[in-house]
Amino acid sequence: MQQNKLMKRTAIYCILFVLTAMGVMLYYSANKIVVVADVAQDEVIQSAQENQKSTLTAVVDKNAITIDRGRQNTNYFCIPMPEAVRAEEVTLENHYMDQELWVNIQGDMADYDTFYEINSVYGNSENVLDGHFEVEDSRIYLRFSLAGVYEYRSIFEGQTLYVEFVPSKEVYEKIIVVDPAYGASVNGVAIEGVKAKDITLDIAKALKAKFDETDIKVYYTRMDDSNPAPENRVNLAAATKADMLIRIEVNGNENSKLYGTESVYNSRYFIPGFGSVELADILEREVVTAISGKANGLVEASETDYVIGAATVPAAAVKVGYLTNGQESILLQRKDYINRIAEGIYNAVMKAYEGEV
C-alpha cells in the first residue's frame, strides 16, 4: 500500500513538472524572447562594409531616428521593430572603431523607412548620441552613434529589440588591442608594388585566426584597407581598458643592407610591473625566436610614434623586418613567414598573461 502511494505521488510530480516545463516553453515561444546574433567589426564582410559606408554617409541627415529621451524607465535601449520582422532577421554589428552600433534587419523592406520616420526609439539612451537609418536592397540599417566603446546584450521580445550596453571589462577578463599600422592612402614602406600596409594587415589576420581560439578578447583597429586616425587607435585601448596595445609595423631604410626586428616602447609613461618596456622586450624575443631572425633590440618611441607615445596602457610596436632589404622583402611576402611572425606575437601575449615576462 505504501509503495502504491509513493508511485502515485511520483507520477503526479512528474506530470506537474512536464506541465510546468511546457508552460514555460509556450510562454517564451509566444513572447518570442530570443537573443539576437551579433558580430564584431572585424567580422563584418569588407565589401559590404565599404558599400554601407558610401551609401549611409550621403543620407544620414534626412533619415534621422527620433530618440525619445523622456522614456527612461528601463535599463535597456529599446528599438521597436516592424510587425513582419522576425528575430532571426536581426543582427547587431559592433563598429567599435567608429563607436557605432548598427542594427541590420533583413527581409522585405516595404514601409520600413516610413516605420522609422514615425516610430521613435526609447529607454536607456544615455550612451546613444544619435541615430539614422538607411534602406539598402533587401535590408535596412539602423546606425547609432555612441558615447564610447561597448559590448552588447540583447533580446527580441514583442516586436521590440532590447539592447543593454556593457563595458568591455565586464564581459572579458583579458583584452588586448592589435593595431596593424598604415592603411588606405598611407602605404608605409613600399617597394616594387609591395606595401607595408598589406603586410601588417596579413599579420593581423593571421593573429585573429589564433586568438579566436582563446578566451582573450582582441580588438583590431583595422581589418581592411582603412586608415583610422592615430587618436582613434589610441582611444580604442583606453575605452576598452585593454591590458596591452600591440602595434605592427614594417621597417625601411636607404641602407638596403639593414635587416632584422626591433621593438618600440613608450619611455614617457611608466607602468610598474608589466609596462611598455616589458611588452616590447617579450615581443622582440618571441618574434625573433619564431622567425629565427636577428634582434636589433628595443628603441624608445620618438615624436613620430604617436600611437605608442600617447597610449596609457602597456604599448609597444614590433617592426617585423626591413622591406628595403632584398632578402627580408622576399620573406615578408611569404604566407608561412607571416604566420611565424603572428606565432611570435601570439606567444608573447600568452607568456605575458602567464607572468613569464
Side-chain angles (χ1 to χ4, degrees), residues 129-190:
L129 303 179
D130 57 47
H132 302 87
F133 71 88
E134 173 61 11
V135 177
E136 182 186 275
D137 299 328
S138 62
R139 59 190 169 191
I140 183 171
Y141 280 94
L142 313 181
R143 190 171 89 174
F144 298 99
S145 298
L146 307 178
V149 177
Y150 302 97
E151 294 295 324
Y152 311 110
R153 298 190 183 108
S154 64
I155 58 173
F156 187 103
E157 178 186 6
Q159 292 310 116
T160 301
L161 176 64
Y162 298 90
V163 180
E164 180 183 12
F165 299 99
V166 187
S168 301
K169 272 296 187 183
E170 290 187 14
V171 180
Y172 304 106
E173 181 182 355
K174 301 173 182 177
I175 298 175
I176 71 171
V177 170
V178 171
D179 179 28
Y182 329 117
S185 61
V186 180
N187 294 322
V189 182

Side-chain angles (χ1 to χ4, degrees), residues 272-291:
F274 181 78
S276 296
V277 66
E278 287 81 12
L279 176 59
D281 180 61
I282 196 170
L283 280 170
E284 178 80 353
R285 286 190 281 115
E286 292 302 323
V287 171
V288 168
T289 299
I291 63 176

Side-chain angles (χ1 to χ4, degrees), residues 273-321:
F274 181 78
S276 296
V277 66
E278 287 81 12
L279 176 59
D281 180 61
I282 196 170
L283 280 170
E284 178 80 353
R285 286 190 281 115
E286 292 302 323
V287 171
V288 168
T289 299
I291 63 176
S292 300
K294 173 191 174 188
N296 291 334
L298 309 186
V299 179
E300 291 187 16
S302 66
E303 294 295 329
T304 59
D305 296 312
Y306 176 85
V307 173
I308 301 305
T312 55
V313 302
V318 55
K319 299 190 176 187
V320 297

Side-chain angles (χ1 to χ4, degrees), residues 1-17:
M1 180 71 69
Q2 185 69 25
Q3 185 176 2
N4 289 339
K5 288 183 179 180
L6 180 61
M7 291 177 64
K8 288 181 181 179
R9 187 177 301 169
T10 302
I12 292 171
Y13 285 154
C14 290
I15 292 170
L16 289 174
F17 175 80

Side-chain angles (χ1 to χ4, degrees), residues 40-42 94-100 149 218-220 236:
Q41 176 168 303
D42 50 85
N94 187 351
H95 290 251
Y96 50 77
M97 279 305 294
D98 299 317
Q99 295 189 6
E100 291 184 344
V149 177
V218 184
Y219 290 96
Y220 301 87
L236 181 60

Side-chain angles (χ1 to χ4, degrees), residues 35-315:
V35 176
V36 174
D38 61 88
V39 297
Q41 176 168 303
D42 50 85
E43 297 171 332
V44 177
I45 298 174
Q46 179 177 342
S47 59
Q49 187 175 356
E50 290 174 349
N51 291 336
Q52 293 154 14
K53 287 182 179 179
S54 63
T55 56
L56 285 168
T57 302
V59 294
V60 291
D61 289 336
K62 72 175 184 179
N63 289 351
I65 298 174
T66 301
I67 302 176
D68 185 352
R69 300 190 185 273
R71 298 172 64 183
Q72 295 271 352
N73 58 341
T74 175
N75 290 328
Y76 288 94
F77 179 56
C78 306
I79 306 171
M81 292 283 154
E83 186 175 352
V85 174
R86 301 187 302 274
E88 59 267 26
E89 296 173 326
V90 181
T91 305
L92 301 185
E93 295 183 5
N94 187 351
H95 290 251
Y96 50 77
M97 279 305 294
D98 299 317
Q99 295 189 6
E100 291 184 344
L101 165 65
W102 289 23
V103 180
N104 173 12
I105 308 171
Q106 300 281 349
D108 184 4
M109 294 298 107
D111 299 326
Y112 281 15
D113 52 348
T114 56
F115 180 88
Y116 286 104
E117 288 175 358
I118 298 171
N119 293 274
S120 61
V121 298
Y122 59 95
N124 187 350
S125 58
E126 63 181 5
N127 298 314
V128 183
L129 303 179
D130 57 47
H132 302 87
F133 71 88
E134 173 61 11
V135 177
E136 182 186 275
D137 299 328
S138 62
R139 59 190 169 191
I140 183 171
Y141 280 94
L142 313 181
R143 190 171 89 174
F144 298 99
S145 298
L146 307 178
V149 177
Y150 302 97
E151 294 295 324
Y152 311 110
R153 298 190 183 108
S154 64
I155 58 173
F156 187 103
E157 178 186 6
Q159 292 310 116
T160 301
L161 176 64
Y162 298 90
V163 180
E164 180 183 12
F165 299 99
V166 187
S168 301
K169 272 296 187 183
E170 290 187 14
V171 180
Y172 304 106
E173 181 182 355
K174 301 173 182 177
I175 298 175
I176 71 171
V177 170
V178 171
D179 179 28
Y182 329 117
S185 61
V186 180
N187 294 322
V189 182
I191 302 292
E192 297 179 353
V194 181
K195 302 171 183 176
K197 69 173 184 177
D198 298 327
I199 295 171
T200 62
L201 184 59
D202 287 343
I203 296 170
K205 290 179 177 179
L207 272 173
K208 177 173 168 53
K210 298 179 185 299
F211 280 120
D212 281 354
E213 302 298 321
T214 72
D215 63 346
I216 300 172
K217 173 62 179 177
V218 184
Y219 290 96
Y220 301 87
T221 59
R222 71 180 185 99
M223 287 300 276
D224 57 17
D225 190 20
S226 59
N227 183 25
E231 296 83 0
N232 292 344
R233 300 180 192 239
V234 172
N235 181 64
L236 181 60
T240 58
K241 293 183 170 61
D243 301 313
M244 62 191 86
L245 184 158
I246 298 172
R247 183 170 169 87
I248 307 169
E249 298 182 356
V250 177
N251 234 330
N253 195 282
E254 292 181 357
N255 182 356
S256 61
K257 293 182 180 181
L258 290 179
Y259 70 99
T261 301
E262 62 190 49
S263 294
V264 180
Y265 65 95
N266 183 354
S267 62
R268 297 186 296 275
Y269 191 83
F270 175 73
I271 302 173
F274 181 78
S276 296
V277 66
E278 287 81 12
L279 176 59
D281 180 61
I282 196 170
L283 280 170
E284 178 80 353
R285 286 190 281 115
E286 292 302 323
V287 171
V288 168
T289 299
I291 63 176
S292 300
K294 173 191 174 188
N296 291 334
L298 309 186
V299 179
E300 291 187 16
S302 66
E303 294 295 329
T304 59
D305 296 312
Y306 176 85
V307 173
I308 301 305
T312 55
V313 302

